[in-house]
Amino acid sequence: MASAGCRRIGRRVALVVGVVGAGFGGLYLVGLFVADDTVPAGARVSGVDIGGLSTAQARERLDSGLGKTWSEPVKVRLGDSDGTVRVSGISLDTEETLARAAQPGADPFTVIGRLFANGDREVEPVIRVDTVKARASLAEEAKSYDRKAREGAVRFKVGEPVLVRPVTGRSLDVDGAVERLAEEIPGQGAGPVRLPVRTTEPQVGAAEVERAMEEFAIPAMSAPVTLTVNGRKIEIGPAALGKHLAMKPDGDKPLAPVLDGEGLLVEPSVASALALALDEPANAELSVHGGRVAVASDGRTGQDVTAVGLKKAVLPLLTKSGAARTGAVGVKEVEPTLTRDNLGRLGITEQMSTFTVDFEPDAYRVTNIGRAAELINGSVVQPDGIWSFNRTVGERTEANGFVEGVIINNDRYEKAAGGGVSAVATTVFNALFFAGVKPVEYGAHSFYIERYPEGREATVAWGSLDLKFRNDSGNTIYIDARATNTSVTITFLGTKRYDEIESVKGPRTSVKQPTTREGASGESCVPQTPLEGFNVSVDRLFKDGGRTVRTENFETRYDPRDEVTCD
């Protein structure tokens, strides 16, 4: 009996379980059927309600509500400022997000639970990130945001100290920004997306700049400093000082004064004042007797101020005031380049070449040619050194001893300071030609002048055309220059590298006839006789032992010299 009762109870329990199981299975099937094409009620993705919508409807709502989130400029915060950036490579993965919202394949209790759920359920969106594209677009945006740190500094401008305030450097953390934008959904009422940035603080801050201004820069520019050289006073003003003064980090002091002694030494106002206070060394003067070089008169030692000495004298005075801004600068003795003792060691043993150009004895020619010869005479050119006519003679001005004369400009004669100096240039050119040294820069006259050798002449113009040669003879060269009222002679002394230098000129070619034109009216007009233009070739032959061992060619083109008449 007991066992029969138990079986009945068992059957009843089985029946109840069977009924419940059938109901549960039915609800599960209904839940699966409903979930097959419908997003569960209450589902929201970053504020976008897709609950109860079909998959197609939910897709459309997500695409319109969130799909364009990164295609438009995104509001961001970079440090303390707000702005917008354009981002590529970050987008909503709509299909994966819908799959997460629908949760297919969930356990039966979850599926059945959806049938009776009526509360909101937030679904995390699935974000797709193309790291390469995202980094590239943000790196491009960073160009307008990033800035380098600027150190605090003190500069000097036209004799006044100028404070340069420090600036903090900043840069967008591109990798961190990609991660932040992928984590947050921009524009969903949460304000701008804060992107990570890096900052770089300058080493020289505002406090150090202000200290440097007060302790050094302002006193330094407050007044001139005065130097005494050989009993002569030289004043250097703030404008000249400031051009060669700086403040730079130095050891324990972030900003310390730095004076460019070499730059200050060649500053025109300083250099000219020192030239008056110091004696230049003078080379020994040479002469030639029987083709051999001899000392005509001894030179003398000179004086000089070094860049180090000038810097040492000036720097301590800059923070002082009144009479204390005066100090002495030391000088050193300077030996001349050429002395009686070193003449033989320098290799100046014989005459290498000499050349003379005759000219009409006009007053301006006598003055200008004589002055140029005076400035050239005694030039010493070391082996492999370059000699320059313009550097040696200087600008042809009244202050430099030159007067107005006739020059060639734009294929016609004109009046200007230094007229006639081309006669000296031509003489130097021929002397270097027959000495066998290398011309570096030279130019012929635009049209031919009859008193000069065809294809073997040169002209000069301050600031545009120079006459230069390199001393490739292997020994020192001494240039002797002498002028009379009708001629100028240039002689190169040194050691010959070749037995003989010969010039061979070819015939005139490409001849072109001149025309006639009127000159400018007034006293500036200079009449001009006509002469044909032509090409000419000159060979320089280097000879040793009676045979040619080397040949150089010089090609020259002369324009026609038009006839110019003056009213």
Side-chain angles (χ1 to χ4, degrees), residues 461-534:
W462 182 259
S464 60
L465 179 60
D466 201 357
L467 171 60
K468 296 179 181 179
F469 72 86
R470 182 186 298 277
N471 177 13
D472 58 350
S473 70
N475 292 283
T476 303
I477 290 177
Y478 177 93
I479 303 178
D480 182 272
R482 303 178 185 276
T484 69
N485 290 346
T486 59
S487 67
V488 56
T489 300
I490 302 292
T491 303
F492 278 31
L493 306 178
T495 299
K496 291 182 179 180
R497 191 173 177 183
Y498 300 92
D499 292 344
E500 182 185 0
I501 303 294
E502 183 180 338
S503 175
V504 177
K505 181 182 73 68
R508 295 182 178 183
T509 60
S510 302
V511 175
K512 185 177 180 181
Q513 297 304 315
T515 61
T516 301
R517 54 182 168 165
E518 290 186 1
S521 60
E523 295 183 359
S524 62
C525 182
V526 179
Q528 190 169 285
T529 57
L531 185 69
E532 65 185 17
F534 57 92

Side-chain angles (χ1 to χ4, degrees), residues 47-64:
V48 178
D49 187 1
I50 59 173
L53 299 179
S54 67
T55 302
Q57 291 171 328
R59 182 184 298 109
E60 182 178 353
R61 181 168 292 185
L62 283 178
D63 285 342
S64 61

